[in-house]
Short mmCIF file of all heavy atoms in Angstrom, two decimals:
data_model
loop_
_atom_site.label_atom_id
_atom_site.label_comp_id
_atom_site.label_asym_id
_atom_site.label_seq_id
_atom_site.Cartn_x
_atom_site.Cartn_y
_atom_site.Cartn_z
N LYS F 50 -40.79 1.63 -17.56
CA LYS F 50 -40.00 0.66 -16.81
C LYS F 50 -40.09 0.95 -15.31
O LYS F 50 -39.35 1.77 -14.78
CB LYS F 50 -38.55 0.70 -17.26
CG LYS F 50 -38.35 0.29 -18.71
CD LYS F 50 -36.89 0.40 -19.12
CE LYS F 50 -36.69 0.00 -20.57
NZ LYS F 50 -35.27 0.15 -21.01
N GLU F 67 -34.97 6.22 -21.82
CA GLU F 67 -34.79 5.73 -20.46
C GLU F 67 -35.94 6.19 -19.57
O GLU F 67 -37.06 5.82 -19.79
CB GLU F 67 -33.43 6.19 -19.91
CG GLU F 67 -32.24 5.64 -20.68
CD GLU F 67 -32.16 4.12 -20.67
OE1 GLU F 67 -32.78 3.50 -19.79
OE2 GLU F 67 -31.49 3.57 -21.54
N PHE F 68 -35.67 7.05 -18.58
CA PHE F 68 -36.72 7.52 -17.68
C PHE F 68 -37.20 8.93 -18.05
O PHE F 68 -37.74 9.65 -17.22
CB PHE F 68 -36.23 7.48 -16.23
CG PHE F 68 -36.14 6.11 -15.67
CD1 PHE F 68 -34.98 5.37 -15.81
CD2 PHE F 68 -37.23 5.52 -15.04
CE1 PHE F 68 -34.88 4.09 -15.31
CE2 PHE F 68 -37.15 4.23 -14.54
CZ PHE F 68 -35.97 3.51 -14.68
N ILE F 83 -38.68 10.77 -14.62
CA ILE F 83 -39.04 9.88 -13.52
C ILE F 83 -37.78 9.55 -12.73
O ILE F 83 -36.82 9.01 -13.27
CB ILE F 83 -39.67 8.58 -14.05
CG1 ILE F 83 -40.90 8.89 -14.91
CG2 ILE F 83 -40.01 7.66 -12.90
CD1 ILE F 83 -42.06 9.51 -14.15
N ASP F 84 -37.78 9.88 -11.43
CA ASP F 84 -36.61 9.62 -10.60
C ASP F 84 -36.87 8.36 -9.76
O ASP F 84 -37.23 8.43 -8.59
CB ASP F 84 -36.34 10.81 -9.69
CG ASP F 84 -35.00 10.69 -8.98
OD1 ASP F 84 -34.29 9.69 -9.21
OD2 ASP F 84 -34.66 11.59 -8.21
N ALA F 85 -36.66 7.21 -10.40
CA ALA F 85 -36.94 5.93 -9.75
C ALA F 85 -36.01 5.67 -8.56
O ALA F 85 -36.42 5.05 -7.57
CB ALA F 85 -36.81 4.79 -10.76
N ILE F 86 -34.77 6.13 -8.65
CA ILE F 86 -33.82 5.91 -7.56
C ILE F 86 -34.24 6.66 -6.30
O ILE F 86 -34.23 6.12 -5.20
CB ILE F 86 -32.39 6.31 -7.97
CG1 ILE F 86 -31.89 5.38 -9.08
CG2 ILE F 86 -31.45 6.27 -6.78
CD1 ILE F 86 -30.49 5.69 -9.56
N TYR F 89 -37.12 4.88 -4.76
CA TYR F 89 -36.75 3.63 -4.09
C TYR F 89 -36.14 3.90 -2.70
O TYR F 89 -36.45 3.22 -1.73
CB TYR F 89 -35.77 2.83 -4.93
CG TYR F 89 -35.44 1.48 -4.36
CD1 TYR F 89 -36.31 0.40 -4.53
CD2 TYR F 89 -34.27 1.28 -3.63
CE1 TYR F 89 -36.02 -0.84 -3.98
CE2 TYR F 89 -33.98 0.03 -3.08
CZ TYR F 89 -34.85 -1.02 -3.27
OH TYR F 89 -34.56 -2.24 -2.72
N VAL F 166 -40.40 -4.10 -9.51
CA VAL F 166 -39.66 -3.96 -10.76
C VAL F 166 -38.43 -3.09 -10.56
O VAL F 166 -37.33 -3.41 -11.04
CB VAL F 166 -40.56 -3.36 -11.86
CG1 VAL F 166 -39.73 -2.98 -13.09
CG2 VAL F 166 -41.66 -4.34 -12.25
N ILE F 167 -38.59 -1.99 -9.86
CA ILE F 167 -37.46 -1.09 -9.61
C ILE F 167 -36.40 -1.79 -8.76
O ILE F 167 -35.20 -1.64 -9.01
CB ILE F 167 -37.94 0.19 -8.91
CG1 ILE F 167 -38.83 1.00 -9.87
CG2 ILE F 167 -36.75 1.04 -8.45
CD1 ILE F 167 -39.49 2.19 -9.25
N GLN F 168 -36.83 -2.59 -7.80
CA GLN F 168 -35.87 -3.33 -6.98
C GLN F 168 -35.08 -4.32 -7.84
O GLN F 168 -33.86 -4.47 -7.68
CB GLN F 168 -36.60 -4.08 -5.87
CG GLN F 168 -35.65 -4.80 -4.91
CD GLN F 168 -36.39 -5.42 -3.73
OE1 GLN F 168 -37.56 -5.80 -3.85
NE2 GLN F 168 -35.73 -5.51 -2.60
N LEU F 169 -35.74 -4.99 -8.77
CA LEU F 169 -35.05 -5.92 -9.65
C LEU F 169 -34.04 -5.20 -10.53
O LEU F 169 -32.94 -5.70 -10.78
CB LEU F 169 -36.07 -6.66 -10.52
CG LEU F 169 -36.91 -7.75 -9.84
CD1 LEU F 169 -37.97 -8.27 -10.79
CD2 LEU F 169 -36.02 -8.88 -9.36
N MET F 170 -34.42 -4.02 -10.99
CA MET F 170 -33.52 -3.23 -11.82
C MET F 170 -32.29 -2.81 -11.03
O MET F 170 -31.17 -2.80 -11.54
CB MET F 170 -34.26 -2.02 -12.39
CG MET F 170 -35.38 -2.40 -13.34
SD MET F 170 -36.47 -1.01 -13.75
CE MET F 170 -35.41 -0.06 -14.80
N LEU F 171 -32.49 -2.47 -9.77
CA LEU F 171 -31.36 -2.10 -8.91
C LEU F 171 -30.48 -3.30 -8.63
O LEU F 171 -29.25 -3.22 -8.65
CB LEU F 171 -31.87 -1.50 -7.60
CG LEU F 171 -32.45 -0.09 -7.68
CD1 LEU F 171 -33.15 0.28 -6.38
CD2 LEU F 171 -31.36 0.92 -7.98
N ASP F 172 -31.10 -4.43 -8.38
CA ASP F 172 -30.34 -5.66 -8.12
C ASP F 172 -29.50 -6.07 -9.33
O ASP F 172 -28.40 -6.62 -9.19
CB ASP F 172 -31.28 -6.81 -7.74
CG ASP F 172 -31.92 -6.60 -6.38
OD1 ASP F 172 -31.38 -5.77 -5.61
OD2 ASP F 172 -32.95 -7.24 -6.10
N ASP F 173 -30.03 -5.79 -10.51
CA ASP F 173 -29.32 -6.13 -11.75
C ASP F 173 -28.35 -5.05 -12.17
O ASP F 173 -27.78 -5.09 -13.27
CB ASP F 173 -30.32 -6.38 -12.88
CG ASP F 173 -31.13 -7.65 -12.66
OD1 ASP F 173 -30.65 -8.51 -11.91
OD2 ASP F 173 -32.22 -7.76 -13.23
N GLU F 174 -28.16 -4.06 -11.29
CA GLU F 174 -27.26 -2.94 -11.56
C GLU F 174 -27.65 -2.20 -12.84
O GLU F 174 -26.82 -1.71 -13.59
CB GLU F 174 -25.81 -3.42 -11.65
CG GLU F 174 -25.29 -4.02 -10.35
CD GLU F 174 -23.81 -4.37 -10.42
OE1 GLU F 174 -23.29 -4.44 -11.54
OE2 GLU F 174 -23.22 -4.54 -9.37
N TYR F 175 -28.95 -2.14 -13.09
CA TYR F 175 -29.46 -1.45 -14.27
C TYR F 175 -29.05 0.02 -14.27
O TYR F 175 -28.64 0.57 -15.27
CB TYR F 175 -30.98 -1.57 -14.32
CG TYR F 175 -31.63 -0.87 -15.50
CD1 TYR F 175 -31.83 -1.55 -16.69
CD2 TYR F 175 -32.05 0.46 -15.41
CE1 TYR F 175 -32.42 -0.92 -17.77
CE2 TYR F 175 -32.63 1.09 -16.48
CZ TYR F 175 -32.83 0.40 -17.65
OH TYR F 175 -33.41 1.03 -18.73
N PHE F 176 -29.15 0.64 -13.09
CA PHE F 176 -28.85 2.06 -12.99
C PHE F 176 -27.35 2.32 -12.96
O PHE F 176 -26.85 3.22 -13.63
CB PHE F 176 -29.49 2.66 -11.73
CG PHE F 176 -31.00 2.59 -11.74
CD1 PHE F 176 -31.66 1.62 -11.00
CD2 PHE F 176 -31.74 3.49 -12.48
CE1 PHE F 176 -33.04 1.56 -11.02
CE2 PHE F 176 -33.12 3.43 -12.50
CZ PHE F 176 -33.76 2.46 -11.76
N THR F 177 -26.64 1.53 -12.18
CA THR F 177 -25.22 1.80 -11.97
C THR F 177 -24.38 1.54 -13.21
O THR F 177 -23.27 2.03 -13.34
CB THR F 177 -24.67 0.94 -10.81
OG1 THR F 177 -24.92 -0.44 -11.09
CG2 THR F 177 -25.34 1.31 -9.50
N ASN F 178 -24.90 0.76 -14.15
CA ASN F 178 -24.15 0.48 -15.37
C ASN F 178 -24.35 1.55 -16.44
O ASN F 178 -23.74 1.50 -17.49
CB ASN F 178 -24.56 -0.88 -15.95
CG ASN F 178 -24.00 -2.02 -15.11
OD1 ASN F 178 -23.00 -1.85 -14.43
ND2 ASN F 178 -24.65 -3.17 -15.16
N LYS F 179 -25.23 2.49 -16.19
CA LYS F 179 -25.48 3.54 -17.16
C LYS F 179 -24.35 4.57 -17.15
O LYS F 179 -23.82 4.92 -16.10
CB LYS F 179 -26.81 4.26 -16.87
CG LYS F 179 -28.02 3.35 -16.99
CD LYS F 179 -28.18 2.84 -18.40
CE LYS F 179 -29.37 1.89 -18.51
NZ LYS F 179 -29.48 1.32 -19.86
N GLU F 180 -23.98 5.04 -18.34
CA GLU F 180 -22.93 6.06 -18.43
C GLU F 180 -23.41 7.37 -17.83
O GLU F 180 -22.65 8.11 -17.22
CB GLU F 180 -22.54 6.27 -19.89
CG GLU F 180 -21.84 5.06 -20.52
CD GLU F 180 -21.44 5.34 -21.95
OE1 GLU F 180 -21.66 6.47 -22.41
OE2 GLU F 180 -20.90 4.43 -22.59
N GLU F 181 -24.69 7.66 -18.00
CA GLU F 181 -25.25 8.92 -17.49
C GLU F 181 -25.75 8.70 -16.07
O GLU F 181 -26.48 7.77 -15.80
CB GLU F 181 -26.41 9.40 -18.36
CG GLU F 181 -27.05 10.68 -17.86
CD GLU F 181 -28.21 11.11 -18.74
OE1 GLU F 181 -28.46 10.42 -19.74
OE2 GLU F 181 -28.85 12.10 -18.40
N LYS F 182 -25.34 9.57 -15.13
CA LYS F 182 -25.81 9.49 -13.76
C LYS F 182 -27.13 10.23 -13.64
O LYS F 182 -27.30 11.33 -14.15
CB LYS F 182 -24.77 10.10 -12.81
CG LYS F 182 -23.46 9.34 -12.77
CD LYS F 182 -22.47 9.99 -11.82
CE LYS F 182 -22.99 9.92 -10.39
NZ LYS F 182 -22.04 10.52 -9.45
N TYR F 183 -28.07 9.63 -12.93
CA TYR F 183 -29.36 10.26 -12.74
C TYR F 183 -29.32 11.14 -11.50
O TYR F 183 -29.47 10.67 -10.38
CB TYR F 183 -30.45 9.19 -12.62
CG TYR F 183 -30.67 8.47 -13.92
CD1 TYR F 183 -29.95 7.31 -14.21
CD2 TYR F 183 -31.54 8.96 -14.87
CE1 TYR F 183 -30.13 6.65 -15.42
CE2 TYR F 183 -31.72 8.31 -16.08
CZ TYR F 183 -31.02 7.16 -16.35
OH TYR F 183 -31.19 6.52 -17.55
#
Side-chain angles (χ1 to χ4, degrees):
K50 296 178 180 178
E67 297 299 341
F68 287 89
I83 302 295
D84 190 1
I86 294 180
Y89 185 80
V166 170
I167 293 173
Q168 184 174 29
L169 286 173
M170 295 168 72
L171 286 169
D172 290 342
D173 291 338
E174 297 185 343
Y175 179 90
F176 297 102
T177 56
N178 287 336
K179 297 297 178 184
E180 292 182 3
E181 179 181 358
K182 295 180 65 179
Y183 291 91

